[in-house]
């Protein structure tokens, strides 16, 4: 998270900090400066009353200027320079009119005022240097006009302390200004970071609320799905039961049926049993929601199963004038799989190939044994479905609609289920679609 500080923001916070320090200085002067008259009463008894009045007037002038600068939002530096000048005038006069024995006290008080300013003030160091030079200049002016003592005597009786403290105190604002400026910058960064964190936290809460609402909607949809499965499964069970019962009644009269009719009755019986098996799997909600589906694994000849699927779809292909080419091995190849779901994989792939092909096309169904693996291939020489659409149909369980509307609706659920069942049964499936048509390949391990 990167936070930037604009010049306007920085200057605004600097001004607030400077005025805060200025308030401390001004109100400290207003409350404490008149109390210095106690020192005047003790050490300059003859003039203490006059200087009390001067101090009170100085405080009132400073208070008035403070209110004016606050109201008009003038520069705080100008206010501090005026205030210090007023204090310096009084202090410089007292340092030059009192007896030589009391000059130590007043030079120390003057130095303390200057030190107090430099310890509290927040401004550029050059301003403190200017104040010190003004203080020295005032001392020099009033020394020439008011003092009765030699310069050596004045320096030895407090002047040296004032000059040492004055010059040392000029070093303080430089470090103080840098420290406070860093603090202000850090404070701005922290506040802006906190604001960003609050915004992010608010966004996260809003997104969590959206997720909660979507989760609730999904939970309701899941409940509706389970209810639909239960209702539809119950009805389908009844229908399949009726189909099986009717077919069994038909078989009881098989002496009246021709060979083709008996074969068709066998197809009906086998298909009904597969439907019943798959429906039972669908109805098992715990099995549907479990991470792994349970299969009824058995050993069977997979070439025979492919041949059965091939024969079952020949009539469908003939209705579209599509020629199915039988390149199925006659050699028995045993696998250990769920017969129903393995057959459903071949059924879905071949029925989709027939569905997507145009009339007068050839579709080759090829099985082979390669490196101890059974290989099932569908070679469709029809119009290419398109690799992108095949990826969506195999991977996302989404319905793909033909934009032109001239071809049949491409429902990709059958291919998606075929891929899922192949993976669950431990096999591999590959596919491609190019200018030569569409190609599908399924592999399973054999056990002999």
């Amino acid at each position: 998270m990167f936070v930037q500080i604009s010049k306007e923001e920085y200057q605004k916070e600097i001004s607030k900090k400077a005025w805060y320090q200025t308030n401390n200085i001004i109100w400290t002067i207003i409350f404490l400066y008149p109390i210095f008259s106690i020192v005047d009463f003790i050490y300059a008894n003859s003039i203490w009353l006059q200087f009390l009045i001067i101090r009170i007037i100085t405080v009132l002038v400073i208070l008035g200027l403070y209110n004016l600068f606050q109201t008009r939002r003038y520069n705080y530096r100008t206010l501090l320079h005026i205030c210090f000048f007023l204090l310096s005038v009084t202090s410089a006069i007292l340092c030059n009119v009192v007896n030589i024995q009391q000059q130590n006290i007043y030079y120390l008080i003057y130095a303390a005022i200057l030190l107090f300013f430099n310890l509290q003030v927040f401004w550029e160091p050059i301003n403190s240097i200017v104040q010190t030079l003004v203080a020295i200049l005032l001392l020099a002016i009033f020394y020439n006009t008011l003092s009765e003592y030699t310069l050596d005597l004045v320096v030895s009786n407090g002047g040296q302390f004032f000059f040492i403290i004055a010059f040392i105190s000029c070093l303080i604002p430089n470090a103080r200004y840098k420290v406070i400026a860093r603090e202000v910058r850090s404070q701005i960064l922290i506040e802006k970071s906190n604001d960003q964190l609050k915004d992010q936290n608010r966004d996260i809460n809003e997104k969590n609320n959206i997720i909660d609402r979507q989760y609730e909607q999904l939970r309701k949809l899941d409940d509706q799905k389970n209810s639909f499965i239960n209702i539809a499964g119950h009805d389908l069970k009844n229908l399949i039961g009726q189909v099986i019962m009717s077919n069994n009644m038909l078989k009881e009269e098989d002496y009246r049926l021709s060979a083709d009719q008996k074969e068709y009755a066998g197809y009906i019986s086998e298909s009904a049993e597969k439907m019943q098996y798959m429906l039972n799997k669908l109805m098992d909600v715990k099995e549907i929601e479990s991470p792994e589906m349970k299969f009824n694994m058995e050993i069977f000849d997979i070439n025979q199963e492919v041949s059965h699927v091939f024969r079952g779809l020949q009539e469908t292909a003939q209705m579209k004038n599509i020629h199915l080419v039988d390149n199925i091995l006659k050699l028995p190849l045993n696998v250990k799989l769920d017969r129903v779901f393995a057959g459903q994989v071949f059924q879905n792939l071949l029925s989709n190939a027939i569905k997507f092909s145009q009339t007068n096309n050839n579709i080759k169904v090829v099985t082979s044994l390669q490196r101890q693996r059974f290989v099932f291939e569908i070679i469709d020489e029809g119009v290419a479905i398109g690799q992108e659409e095949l990826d969506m149909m195999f991977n996302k369980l989404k319905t793909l609609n033909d934009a032109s509307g001239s071809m049949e609706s491409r429902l990709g659920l059958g291919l998606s289920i075929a891929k899922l069942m192949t993976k669950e049964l431990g096999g591999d499936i590959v596919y491609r679609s190019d200018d030569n048509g569409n190609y599908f390949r399924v592999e399973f391990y054999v056990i002999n």
Side-chain angles (χ1 to χ4, degrees), residues 1-34:
M1 182 174 58
F2 184 70
V3 179
Q4 289 184 330
I5 302 175
S6 65
K7 185 177 180 180
E8 292 75 14
E9 291 175 325
Y10 179 71
Q11 291 298 332
K12 182 179 179 181
E13 291 300 320
I14 285 289
S15 178
K16 287 171 60 178
K17 187 68 176 179
W19 270 106
Y20 174 78
Q21 296 299 126
T22 300
N23 292 339
N24 292 339
I25 294 172
I26 296 299
W27 287 106
T28 302
I29 292 171
I30 290 172
F31 285 111
L32 295 182
Y33 193 59

Side-chain angles (χ1 to χ4, degrees), residues 83 188 427:
C83 293
I188 296 173

